[in-house]
Amino acid sequence: LAALLPVYLLTMPDAVGQADTFEFQVVAPQLGIAHPTGYPLYLLLGKLFTLLPIKSVAWRLNVGTMVYGLTAVSLLFVLGCRMKMRGITAVLGATLFGLIPTFWSQAIEAEVYTLHTLFVVLAFLLMREIGGWAVDSEQWTVNSKQWLPIALALVLGLGMTNHLTTVFL
């Protein structure tokens, strides 16, 4: 999965983008409000990336989006492993997902979709650990699972502050 980092960095634009990307790159540094629904979590996190003292503000926001995408792909690998996939299958699946043109294009410019993907994969991982998809649920005790529904509720709540389609989870 570390192989995706240079691919994303080499293809990431350094300049201001177009359409929604442009809007996010202009609104996030000033903590403004984007088009409805406003994407508050994405803009708050984006503001943190604008504080990095390197390159342009547009590039910094693109880096933030890339970090969310790489984290989502990494968690997809973890989910594959937790679902008893062989290591090579989990690596190939996650890497190929990261290289799908649609995901790749959204992971290298300021957009909300990689953060949304991060929340979706994290929610699936938590659901699997709660037991909905558990292959080896006997390893868990009742006490060690008590925090998982709370964590899932937090992830879903935060996910809805980024993209409303989280409600379908």
Side-chain angles (χ1 to χ4, degrees), residues 84-114:
K84 303 296 184 189
M85 285 184 185
R86 291 188 305 165
I88 189 69
T89 306
V91 168
L92 285 175
T95 303
L96 288 175
F97 179 80
L99 292 174
I100 291 173
T102 303
F103 186 82
W104 182 354
S105 69
Q106 299 299 312
I108 60 171
E109 59 184 22
E111 271 295 348
V112 298
Y113 303 112
T114 56

Side-chain angles (χ1 to χ4, degrees), residues 91-152:
V91 168
L92 285 175
T95 303
L96 288 175
F97 179 80
L99 292 174
I100 291 173
T102 303
F103 186 82
W104 182 354
S105 69
Q106 299 299 312
I108 60 171
E109 59 184 22
E111 271 295 348
V112 298
Y113 303 112
T114 56
L115 183 58
H116 178 63
T117 304
L118 171 61
F119 282 119
V120 168
V121 174
L122 187 55
F124 284 163
L125 186 59
L126 288 168
M127 289 176 199
R128 187 257 176 240
E129 295 302 318
I130 287 171
W133 301 339
V135 176
D136 57 348
S137 60
E138 64 275 0
Q139 74 173 332
W140 294 96
T141 64
V142 173
N143 292 334
S144 69
K145 285 179 132 182
Q146 287 178 341
W147 65 272
L148 292 172
I150 295 167
L152 178 60

Side-chain angles (χ1 to χ4, degrees), residues 2 26 48 58 67 77-78 87 89 91 116 121 124 137-138 156 163 167:
V26 170
L48 295 176
V67 167
F77 164 75
V78 171
T89 306
V91 168
H116 178 63
V121 174
F124 284 163
S137 60
E138 64 275 0
L156 294 176
H163 205 282
V167 75

Side-chain angles (χ1 to χ4, degrees), residues 32-53:
I33 299 174
H35 61 279
T37 60
Y39 308 99
L41 183 62
Y42 180 82
L43 294 175
L44 286 171
L45 293 173
K47 173 64 176 179
L48 295 176
F49 281 96
T50 66
L51 301 175
L52 295 172

